[in-house]
Amino acid sequence: AEGLPPADDLSPGAVPGPAKAGTAEDAARLIDTLDVAGMTGDAVATLRPEPDTPLDSPESQRAEIAYQIGSIATYFGREDMAEQAYRLALTHDPSHAWTNNDLGYMLVDAGSNIAEGEELISRAYETLPESPNVTDSLAWARYKLGWFEDKDDRPGAITLLRRAIRLQVEGDRGNATLHDHLGDALVCSS
């Protein structure tokens, strides 16, 4: 297939192939091939040397590879391929936090399925509540749903954005988008 390397050139570095020029089927075949060759762990270690969530099961490793293919596809402007790769990742590990976040944000940002996006990002937030990026994603989804204020013991967009800004400052990272999103939410809620 076009997105796969030759059999004698299989290495963890082969992962970007399907993201750049292949299909979701190519991605699935590559993951299967890496798995059969006993190379999923090597591929994951190459792609994410310091994961922020455990990637110790075969399912989580397969999900991580599919997630990375989706991330690379996004970088190359192949949003349809990215969505398919993210959905493939979730078939391997429905709780993969970064897949839930990135697919959810993609859906919210495109306006194609905001409710599903919010649900996916909520899963990511359960796993990574200290991430300013995930917190911002959930806030943006709730903003798009018109959910500005807290309700039913669940934070609305404004609370989440304020939290994301605090987390960002604690982590010594700057992100003007968080302040922009908070400003938008405050204007819309009044």
Side-chain angles (χ1 to χ4, degrees):
E2 180 182 330
L4 294 175
D8 59 348
D9 190 31
L10 185 62
S11 72
V15 171
K20 291 179 187 176
T23 65
E25 292 78 22
D26 292 333
R29 275 196 305 279
L30 176 62
I31 293 167
D32 288 343
T33 302
L34 288 167
D35 196 32
V36 168
M39 297 176 68
T40 52
D42 293 339
V44 167
T46 299
L47 296 166
R48 192 183 293 251
E50 296 181 24
D52 48 10
T53 57
L55 299 171
D56 47 8
S57 73
E59 294 81 14
S60 66
Q61 291 177 356
R62 291 169 67 91
E64 179 66 21
I65 294 168
Y67 165 74
Q68 292 293 336
I69 291 170
S71 295
I72 295 165
T74 299
Y75 175 81
F76 284 102
R78 300 188 66 215
E79 282 78 16
D80 288 345
M81 175 60 187
E83 181 176 345
Q84 292 172 31
Y86 291 149
R87 290 192 186 280
L88 174 64
L90 293 177
T91 67
H92 295 296
D93 182 3
S95 66
H96 190 277
W98 287 110
T99 301
N100 278 298
N101 181 73
D102 291 8
L103 176 57
Y105 193 87
M106 176 185 283
L107 296 172
V108 168
D109 205 44
S112 59
N113 193 336
I114 297 170
E116 180 188 6
E118 191 273 340
E119 182 181 322
L120 291 167
I121 299 166
S122 290
R123 285 188 216 154
Y125 185 73
E126 288 173 16
T127 304
L128 298 170
E130 300 303 312
S131 167
N133 294 334
V134 173
T135 305
D136 174 55
S137 294
L138 184 56
W140 195 239
R142 292 187 177 166
Y143 169 89
K144 292 285 196 168
L145 290 169
W147 179 353
F148 303 108
E149 304 297 332
D150 300 351
K151 64 180 175 183
D152 301 324
D153 293 328
R154 295 178 67 200
I158 294 170
T159 298
L160 287 165
L161 287 162
R162 286 182 171 145
R163 176 173 166 68
I165 290 168
R166 274 194 315 276
L167 290 169
Q168 159 194 286
V169 170
E170 289 171 11
D172 196 27
R173 293 172 285 220
N175 184 340
T177 302
L178 296 176
H179 295 279
D180 182 51
H181 286 177
L182 178 58
D184 290 342
L186 289 168
V187 167
C188 288
S189 70
S190 51

